[in-house]
Structures are given as structure tokens and as C-alpha cells.
Amino acid sequence: MINIVNLHAEVEEKKILKGLNLNVKAGEIHAIMGPNGSGKSTLASILAGKEDYTVTAGNVEFDGKDLLELSTEDRARQGLFLAFQYPIEIPGVSNVNFLKSALNEIREYRGEEQISAKDFLALVKEKSALVELDSKLASRSVNEGFSGGEKKRNEIFQMAMLNPKLAILDETDSGLDIDALRIVANGVNKLRSPKNAAIIITHYQRLLDYIIPDFVHVLYDGRIVKSGGKELALELEEKGYDWIKEELASNAE
Amino acid sequence: MENISKIQAFASKFKETNLAFTPTSIADAKNTLLHLDFPTTKTEFWKYTRLAKLAQLRLNQEKIRENEQVVAPLTDNGIVRITNGYITSFSKEIAGLTITPFSKCSEQQLSLIGKKADLKQNIFLALNTLYSQEGLFIEVEENAQIEGVFQLLFHAHGENCFAPFRVFIHVKKGSAFKLIQQFTASGEHLFSLPIVEYLVEENARISCDKLQMENASSFLLCEDYSIQKRNSTVLLNTFSISGAWVRNNSSFLIEGENCETNLNGAYLLKDLQHLDNHTIVDHIAPHCNSNELYKGILSGKSTGVFNGKVFVRPNAQKISAFQSNANVLLSDDASVNSKPELEIYANDVKCSHGSTTGQLDENAVFYLRARGLSEKSARSLITQAFIAEVVDKVEQKEVRDFIKNKLVELHDWTN
């Protein structure tokens, strides 16, 4: 699905990613954990195409295409979805109207027919129920006046509407109470299939009780320094990150 | 040869009015044109709007028999067409409405005109008073609720034409009236100077949408003067859609208690367009609300001005007055000067004013693109949403749709 090889990136000449490797296959869920400032959100932003970052080395292959050569919108049209850590409020732009335009632009790109108004409404109804998002919220201005939990649920609602091949969830669990967390996780699990994949970036092991990852990686100082199964998340929760730092230091000696 | 002022040279080919305005107003207008000249940018009121190009024009007043059918009415309710300052087509009869050309008005009717406007300080008001060849006196009968929207279609046509016109609207006690004023132009070097006065009596209501859509060499100066009696409501929406040079002077005197006054404006400027909105809201009476929302989007080398003044007089207790101006600059060469002003002499009031100028929110653009929208669609959606807040203040759906479609067409927005 996505193969990231030796990715180096910087912002304003500050090196953030320093040779990151990650290979995600269809059907897999990968969790990326790591202390603050290790480069987790930078990775998500770069994959989605945010122009604030400069990739200085490495490459990313997504579904057979050179991802870094594609514009942000073409990445989305190829099936990449980023659930934002801080979803943006866009006053006056209706959530469902823009999703309809987005869906149709994606379909046009893929040479598919436009979605009918009837089918679209049915899709909105089905997918908003999935994340228990009030249909009134779904048709309001994008994220305007939404609570933190509503914003995150709206991200998963949009993800469900667009049905991506690869979903990247950037700290979608941060700031969620337990009910909202369960709803979000439930949405993600229902969308899980052998054809798609997800990268879940998180601080906390808690989310991984609900979304069981196939692999857990530790991102530290711009590289993935340790990988394991779901039990690695539990270990990190219990022991923090210091033991990994120590391990790295002793390996370097 | 005698040295004559710029304004005298400018007015040299104009025809004095035969309308039965009061002798004092004619004398005052003459006096103003004799003693004042075009204001320069040293005058605060004209600081950001230059009059030099206008002053250089040598214009005629030219009566055209037929109105070019370039302007399609939005609805088929009452319509009056005014071409180059002359009435070229008259409305059908509408119950509750009496429409009389100034030339057929009584002196008593005409004596109502220009009461609160300061003829001695304003050369444009003087030009309009002295050279308007015709005017329109609209009376809304007491308690009449006029259905549908009445339309005044102002059109300027030809070359080097001056088109002054005066409208007086008397919205009598308990009545309600909805009006569209549309301004269009075809030809070159046209100067339209329509001045509209509103006398809104007790418990009456008027809503008015001004659609300014002149062309790339036209000058349009609109003045609006409103006087409100108790329990009355005024809504004025001004959409500056096209036209090389547009100046709006809107003045609202709130004399009676418990009035509602809403002014909204949207301007979308590109190329070398210039637009200046000057508003005055004068609260004299207590227990009134006024709301002012002006929003602009500027691209190319366009320039915009907003100057909004709110006075709260000593007796105007318990009023609330809000004023906001927001601008988005889409290019490095566009600029806007915004100055909201509040002068408060009462102590128990709620007032606020604010002004913002910025660029499109690039994070919002990225967010929409990350969902698969093209950059063009994303920018156009956000821009339309910014302006939609003002468009939504328009009460009639057909007018809202007309404005939206016109903007989509002019700015190549994705719909």
C-alpha cells in the first residue's frame, strides 16, 4: 500500500525526519507512537502534502505511484486520507456540500460517474449514523462551533464518506472522553477491510484497546527506532520512553 | 478670461433643472457650486478616493428615447426604468403605491425633499439638486403591505453622459415596502449620480437592495439619506459587483424610539476597480438597534475604502450599535483602507466596532484539498462562503440567487 524509504524532511532548516522507513500493506493497521517532538505529526502532514515541509531525501511509494510528486488533492483522489489533529473551522462552507463536491471531483479523477443527489443523501445518512454524528451537524458549516469530540467524529465521518485506501489518523484520540473514543474507534473498525489500511498516530495506548493494531512502531528523533506487535504499546504505556532512549544510547556505544 | 473652478468647468454643459424644488435649495445648490470645488484627498471625507479623473470629464446630459433592453428585471412587479437621468418606462399601477414624477409633484410634496441633507457642504448633492431633470416620488399608503419587490433600474448609456436623478420614498405609517435598485451602464465615461431619500414613518418598514453593476469606465456615486420615526425598520444591502469607480454615501438618522436599522454591504473588486463605502448612523433616540456588516474581497490592483461612523447622542440611551468590516486581499497589489468610528455621548449603551483585513485562510484551503477538492474549488468555496454571510441578509431568494450567479460568472467560481 505505502512504502516509505529513508525519508528526510525539514522545516525552516530544522531537521525533523532523519531517515524514516515504514512499509504498510493492504489490510494492516500500524500504530506510530513516540514522545512529543519526535516527528509524528510532521510525517502525517508530509504524507498529506502540506507545503510547509521540505523533503530533502528519500521517497514514498503509494499504491504504485510516487506520492511526493502528487498534489494534495491528487493524493486524496488516489485514496489517501488524513484525519487532522486539529480540524479546521471553515465558516460558511457547508460540511455536506463540500463533501459532495469533493466526492464528485474524486470520481471525475477516477473516470467514474457523478453521484446522484439521492445516493449522496443515503450515504450521508448511513455514514453519519456510523459515527453517531447528528445529521444536523453534518450539514452545518465545517467544524464551526463543534466541540472537540464532534470535530474528531466529523473527521471519521468524512473518512467514511470518502472511503480511502489508506487512512492516517493524526492523534484522533487526543482530548476525547471515553464515549467519544469508543465511537471514533468503532467507526474506524467498521471501515476496516482487507483492501485498505490505516496508520494511527497516537500518544496513548488507550485507543489501541479499541483499535487493535497489527504493528506498533516507536518514532523517536525522526526515525522509527523500534517495532513490535500490540504488546509494545502496553510496554510503552507502562514504562514510558526512557528505556528506549537508554537502549538506543547503549547500542550506539 | 475669467478664472473658473474645476467644478464650474465640469458643470459647464449641464442644464439647470425646471423642477419645483424650493427656491432656497436651488439658491443653496448654486452657491455651493460657486464657492466649493472638487474635494481633494486632503479632505478627510475623500482621503482615499480621488476625484481627479472624474473632474477631467466633460459631460453632457443626453436624453435617450428608448432604454436599451440590456437590463433584465428580476421580477415582474412594478418597474421604473431610468436612463441617463430620465424616466424611460413607467410602472404599472400597484395597489397601495403612488408613484409620481417630480415634474408632476406639488410644491408641497417637493418641499419634503433634501430636509436633512447638507446642501451647503456637498458639491454632489448640489449637482444633483441643480441638474436633475426628473425625479421620482414614491408614496406607500398608510398600512399598505406592498407585495413583491419594486424595482428601479438605473441605466447610463452613451459617451460622456451625466446622469443625475433624485428619488424620494415616503413609507407611511404602518406600511411595508421592498425595493431593488439596479445600476448598470453601457458606453464610455458615464457618471451616474442617483440620490435616494427615505422617510420611514412610525411602525413602517423598508428593505432595499442596491445592485451596483456598472462598467469598466463608469463612475457611480450613490447617496442614501434615511430618516426613521418610532418603531420603524430599515434594511439596506449594497452589493458592489462591477464598475470602475463607485462611491456610496449612506446616512441614517434614527429619530424615533425602538427602531431597527440594518446596513450590509459586499464588494468584490478586481483589476483597477475602486470602491468607497461611507456610512453614517446617527442615533438620536433611545431603545434602538443598528447593525452594520460590510465585507469585501479584493484582487488585482483594486482598492477599497470603508469608513463607518456611528454617533450615539446624549439622549440615545439603551441603544445597541454594532459595526463590522472584514476584508480579504487576494493579491499583493490590492489594498483597503478601513476606518470604523464610534462617537458615544450616552452612558448606557451597547456598542462595538471592528475591522479585519487578511488573506484567505491557507489552512482551510489545505484542509479542503486534502479531501480531494482542487485548489481552485477550495479557494472559490472559501471566498464564496466569506461573502455569503452578506448575501444571506437579502430577504428575497430570487435576489440572492441573482447575486450569487452574477458573482460566480464574474469571478469564474466553481458553483
Side-chain angles (χ1 to χ4, degrees):
Chain A
M1 179 75 69
I2 192 164
N3 192 18
I4 305 169
V5 180
N6 191 32
L7 190 63
H8 287 72
E10 56 185 47
V11 61
E12 288 162 1
E13 293 184 11
K14 186 172 181 264
K15 290 184 172 64
I16 299 185
L17 298 185
K18 303 170 182 171
L20 187 140
N21 296 296
L22 182 68
N23 188 0
V24 178
K25 295 191 173 62
E28 294 177 351
I29 289 186
H30 290 240
I32 297 181
M33 303 183 73
N36 284 329
S38 57
K40 300 189 299 292
S41 285
T42 300
L43 174 65
S45 295
I46 287 172
L47 294 180
K50 200 149 171 59
E51 280 147 10
D52 306 354
Y53 301 92
T54 316
V55 173
T56 50
N59 61 69
V60 182
E61 193 190 296
F62 175 58
D63 213 21
K65 298 231 162 36
D66 182 353
L67 185 78
L68 302 177
E69 287 298 308
L70 297 175
S71 66
T72 296
E73 52 268 38
D74 283 351
R75 294 178 196 201
R77 292 161 181 179
Q78 290 283 347
L80 185 138
F81 182 92
L82 170 65
F84 282 63
Q85 182 180 6
Y86 305 112
I88 311 287
E89 296 191 14
I90 315 179
V93 173
S94 141
N95 212 28
V96 287
N97 283 358
F98 109 75
L99 270 177
K100 192 174 178 201
S101 305
L103 202 56
N104 278 331
E105 285 196 28
I106 291 170
R107 285 178 167 229
E108 193 183 332
Y109 178 85
R110 294 177 186 164
E112 297 165 8
E113 269 186 36
Q114 304 276 292
I115 190 165
S116 73
K118 187 168 162 266
D119 289 351
F120 180 76
L121 280 178
L123 197 65
V124 169
K125 206 173 165 194
E126 180 198 333
K127 302 302 183 188
S128 54
L130 187 72
V131 288
E132 297 173 36
L133 189 71
D134 192 320
S135 57
K136 277 187 206 124
L137 278 185
S139 53
R140 267 187 12 205
S141 289
V142 180
N143 296 322
E144 197 187 20
F146 286 28
S147 70
E150 284 166 349
K151 282 181 183 171
K152 296 298 176 79
R153 262 146 65 190
N154 190 24
E155 292 295 287
I156 305 302
F157 164 65
Q158 293 179 31
M159 174 178 130
M161 290 293 293
L162 301 177
N163 190 25
K165 285 183 209 149
L166 175 69
I168 302 162
L169 275 58
D170 188 6
E171 302 208 12
T172 300
D173 54 329
S174 299
L176 290 189
D177 64 37
I178 199 74
D179 291 328
L181 187 75
R182 210 188 52 242
I183 291 167
V184 163
N186 194 26
V188 174
N189 285 331
K190 281 192 181 150
L191 296 169
R192 207 167 171 172
S193 91
K195 283 185 187 165
N196 57 31
I199 297 173
I200 294 170
I201 293 169
T202 180
H203 255 325
Y204 309 105
Q205 184 272 335
R206 200 177 60 155
L207 177 67
L208 305 178
D209 285 341
Y210 296 93
I211 306 172
I212 311 295
D214 300 295
F215 300 93
V216 175
H217 308 278
V218 179
L219 180 58
Y220 177 69
D221 196 21
R223 285 178 304 129
I224 285 177
V225 295
K226 197 170 186 66
S227 297
K230 60 177 195 254
E231 64 288 345
L232 178 57
L234 287 167
E235 202 175 348
L236 289 168
E237 182 80 3
E238 198 179 316
K239 299 201 278 192
Y241 291 99
D242 286 347
W243 63 279
I244 291 184
K245 291 178 196 171
E246 280 160 22
E247 218 177 80
L248 282 173
S250 65
N251 287 350
E253 274 165 17
Chain B
M1 202 176 104
E2 200 187 339
N3 236 356
I4 61 166
S5 70
K6 283 181 191 157
I7 190 74
Q8 286 167 315
F10 181 74
S12 59
K13 294 181 185 170
F14 298 166
K15 289 177 263 188
E16 265 188 40
T17 187
N18 289 319
L19 299 171
F21 291 123
T22 59
T24 14
S25 55
I26 296 290
D28 282 349
K30 280 188 179 168
N31 208 30
T32 299
L33 295 176
L34 201 62
H35 293 105
L36 293 183
D37 209 340
F38 281 103
T40 66
T41 52
K42 284 176 190 152
T43 309
E44 183 66 25
F45 200 59
W46 291 94
K47 196 172 175 187
Y48 300 108
T49 294
R50 293 175 181 280
L51 290 161
K53 276 190 188 155
L54 176 66
Q56 281 165 12
L57 298 180
R58 291 296 168 261
L59 307 174
N60 297 299
Q61 286 177 273
E62 197 181 327
K63 186 171 185 174
I64 309 178
R65 219 172 293 152
E66 275 299 300
N67 189 351
E68 281 226 338
Q69 296 300 314
V70 287
V71 189
L74 287 171
T75 63
D76 55 0
N77 293 303
I79 297 161
V80 175
R81 288 179 183 271
I82 297 136
T83 311
N84 287 5
Y86 298 89
I87 296 170
T88 45
S89 123
F90 209 73
S91 167
K92 65 181 180 190
E93 293 231 341
I94 293 172
L97 218 52
T98 311
I99 309 164
T100 319
F102 277 10
S103 50
K104 290 178 184 154
C105 281
S106 64
E107 278 183 31
Q108 189 267 331
Q109 279 178 310
L110 293 185
S111 72
L112 288 172
I113 292 162
K115 277 217 164 140
K116 298 285 173 175
D118 193 356
L119 202 47
K120 289 179 180 161
Q121 298 296 325
N122 183 340
I123 60 157
F124 294 104
L125 188 59
L127 284 172
N128 180 282
T129 306
L130 195 57
Y131 300 114
S132 278
Q133 302 300 310
E134 191 51 286
L136 209 56
F137 201 97
I138 301 176
E139 283 170 295
V140 190
E141 277 174 23
E142 277 192 15
N143 299 319
Q145 311 292 306
I146 308 299
E147 278 187 31
V149 197
F150 189 82
Q151 290 178 86
L152 296 177
L153 305 180
F154 293 88
H155 188 68
H157 177 72
E159 277 178 35
N160 301 307
C161 294
F162 174 48
F165 196 80
R166 193 70 162 260
V167 180
F168 189 90
I169 303 174
H170 192 178
V171 194
K172 292 186 175 167
K173 203 171 161 183
S175 67
F177 185 49
K178 285 178 285 211
L179 173 72
I180 297 173
Q181 299 170 32
Q182 218 169 311
F183 306 90
T184 52
S186 54
E188 279 194 48
H189 302 130
L190 302 161
F191 175 38
S192 303
L193 180 56
I195 295 185
V196 185
E197 294 177 50
Y198 313 84
L199 176 57
V200 189
E201 301 279 7
E202 188 178 334
N203 201 31
R205 185 179 198 286
I206 183 168
S207 89
C208 178
D209 301 316
K210 289 173 101 85
L211 311 179
Q212 303 178 321
M213 303 182 292
E214 293 214 344
N215 72 16
S217 75
S218 65
F219 294 80
L220 170 65
L221 197 157
C222 287
E223 298 205 342
D224 290 90
Y225 294 91
S226 150
I227 299 171
Q228 278 181 264
K229 306 294 185 188
R230 63 185 302 149
N231 301 328
S232 66
T233 302
V234 168
L235 168 65
L236 179 76
N237 300 316
T238 305
F239 293 91
S240 307
I241 296 165
S242 57
W245 186 101
V246 179
R247 168 74 182 238
N248 293 307
N249 295 331
S250 314
S251 169
F252 293 79
L253 186 63
I254 306 163
E255 284 186 346
E257 289 188 20
N258 196 32
C259 287
E260 185 85 26
T261 310
N262 296 300
L263 282 84
N264 304 297
Y267 39 101
L268 292 103
L269 311 178
K270 55 184 187 177
D271 306 326
L272 289 165
Q273 274 178 272
H274 177 78
L275 165 85
D276 185 340
N277 280 320
H278 265 66
T279 67
I280 296 173
V281 175
D282 198 350
H283 282 282
I284 293 175
H287 301 290
C288 293
N289 296 317
S290 68
N291 288 291
E292 203 171 336
L293 174 69
Y294 278 77
K295 281 185 143 186
I297 293 174
L298 297 92
S299 61
K301 291 184 174 174
S302 63
T303 46
V305 182
F306 173 80
N307 186 301
K309 208 163 200 170
V310 177
F311 293 101
V312 183
R313 305 293 177 186
N315 192 33
Q317 299 293 3
K318 308 267 184 202
I319 64 116
S320 56
F322 302 108
Q323 187 190 49
S324 155
N325 174 231
N327 301 286
V328 171
L329 302 179
L330 296 180
S331 76
D332 291 342
D333 294 325
S335 68
V336 66
N337 283 290
S338 173
K339 191 179 178 192
E341 295 177 82
L342 263 174
E343 275 187 37
I344 305 175
Y345 302 99
N347 57 19
D348 186 12
V349 298
K350 259 196 273 180
C351 293
S352 77
H353 63 171
S355 165
T356 59
T357 298
Q359 283 148 357
L360 271 198
D361 181 354
E362 289 302 322
N363 287 325
V365 174
F366 177 71
Y367 186 89
L368 296 181
R369 290 176 68 196
R371 300 296 179 247
L373 281 180
S374 69
E375 183 168 358
K376 185 170 174 269
S377 303
R379 289 187 185 280
S380 119
L381 256 186
I382 297 166
T383 313
Q384 288 178 64
F386 178 78
I387 277 305
E389 191 186 356
V390 182
V391 180
D392 289 341
K393 303 278 185 189
V394 172
E395 293 180 329
Q396 267 68 41
K397 187 180 182 296
E398 62 263 42
V399 184
R400 284 198 300 271
D401 289 345
F402 173 84
I403 295 167
K404 281 178 188 164
N405 293 336
K406 194 83 198 167
L407 293 176
V408 164
E409 174 197 318
L410 274 175
H411 295 271
D412 192 25
W413 286 341
T414 41
N415 213 342

